[in-house]
Every structure is written in C-alpha cells, then in structure tokens.
Amino acid sequence: MAEIKDPENTIIMELKDGNVVIELLPDVAPEHCARMKELARGGEYDNVAFHRVIDGFMAQTGDVQHGDMEDGFNLRMAGTGGSSLPNVPAEFSKLPHDRGTIGAARSQNPNSANSQFFINFKDNNFLNGQYTVYGRVVEGMEHVDAITRGEPPANPDRMISVKVAADA
C-alpha cells in the first residue's frame, strides 16, 4: 500500500477488486473532509452503492439514506438522499476536477452537499469552481475504473467498507 503521510486525513475504501486510498484535503475543504470522516467512522458508507456511473465522466456514491445495499436498498431511490446531518456549505477552490479527484455531489443549490460524492474518471474541468474538490485518489484508481457503469447500473457495485486510515 502507498505510504500514508497523514492517517487522520486518509480514507481507505474497499471495493470488490481492492482498496482505494484517498488523500483528503482539509486545508482546501475542511467541512467536507470532516463530514466524510464522520460518516466513515460511523460505518455509514459501508455497503453503499455506486448509483450513477458514467463512462468517461465519473462514479457517484454516498447516498447513505437510500444506497445501503444491506439495509432497505432501493435502486430507484438511490441518489436522492443524504445523511441525517445538515448539508455542508460549498467550499469551492482553484483545484481542478482532475482524474482521481473527489467532488461533493449536490443539487442545484451550491450549499446542498451532504454525504454523496463522486470520483472523476478523467479531467472534468467544466466542473471547476462549481463543485467542491476535497480529496484525491493516491492509490487504487484501477479499482475505481473497474466500477460497473450505468445510471443506475443494473447490478451496482458498492463500497464494501470505508475507513479513516488512523482507525485501521
């Protein structure tokens, strides 16, 4: 596994093909990073489906309300919910939406991010300044590339577990 420089701000996401190591960027988007760690520590992301996966664009997941494939999963509702916590205000920065970056999913309201996020399959610069970037994949992007495509996928992949490296 990659050398983890800051275990408190590193996420280890287990997918079907292996682990994805995500470096969080708390100096850029502290609220979004804190939310991801809080939900990971609570086990909220475990077994949550990738409900929107667009080839050549991104893979979206994180609907802890409707996306848990082990607890009341509803594929039609996946992607419409969040967590029981309040929304997180936008933390836009100059960081580009490059391949492997983590972006906060939201509705039309820039301050509506909650638990959902996406991982960019390629550089998606048209998203710059419109969605909060708060992390980047530093290892395991090949496992992200292997996520089943679809809107929604007929048989979606899931995050098997999501942990903060400091807790592992």
Side-chain angles (χ1 to χ4, degrees):
M1 192 175 332
E3 179 190 344
I4 295 175
K5 298 177 193 121
D6 182 1
E8 181 57 32
N9 288 298
T10 302
I11 297 291
I12 299 171
M13 176 190 300
E14 182 187 355
L15 301 183
K16 70 181 187 307
D17 296 318
N19 287 344
V20 176
V21 179
I22 298 167
E23 172 188 54
L24 295 177
L25 305 169
D27 53 328
V28 174
E31 300 293 323
H32 285 78
C33 294
R35 173 60 54 85
M36 183 172 230
K37 292 190 298 186
E38 181 177 359
L39 292 172
R41 285 188 160 124
E44 298 288 323
Y45 283 134
D46 296 353
N47 293 305
V48 172
F50 283 91
H51 64 270
R52 183 170 176 243
V53 186
I54 304 171
D55 200 34
F57 181 31
M58 58 90 216
Q60 186 171 333
T61 185
D63 181 348
V64 301
Q65 183 178 4
H66 302 297
D68 185 339
M69 295 177 73
E70 299 292 319
D71 183 22
F73 181 63
N74 182 336
L75 186 56
R76 286 187 308 239
M77 293 296 292
T80 64
S83 73
S84 60
L85 302 168
N87 289 342
V88 180
E91 294 177 297
F92 299 153
S93 70
K94 299 260 190 255
L95 281 183
H97 281 266
D98 289 342
R99 173 173 164 76
T101 54
I102 309 302
R106 61 171 178 79
S107 69
Q108 294 293 85
N109 177 346
N111 297 312
S112 63
N114 190 292
S115 62
Q116 292 189 47
F117 62 93
F118 57 90
I119 305 171
N120 288 291
F121 286 133
K122 69 176 192 71
D123 295 355
N124 290 314
N125 293 324
F126 67 95
L127 299 174
N128 293 352
Q130 299 179 59
Y131 293 83
T132 299
V133 174
Y134 64 97
R136 65 173 64 96
V137 173
V138 295
E139 182 178 304
M141 192 62 195
E142 69 274 16
H143 306 313
V144 175
D145 289 333
I147 295 170
T148 302
R149 307 307 200 253
E151 292 184 76
N155 294 299
D157 285 328
R158 68 180 79 187
M159 297 182 287
I160 296 165
S161 74
V162 179
K163 307 279 184 249
V164 177
D167 303 339

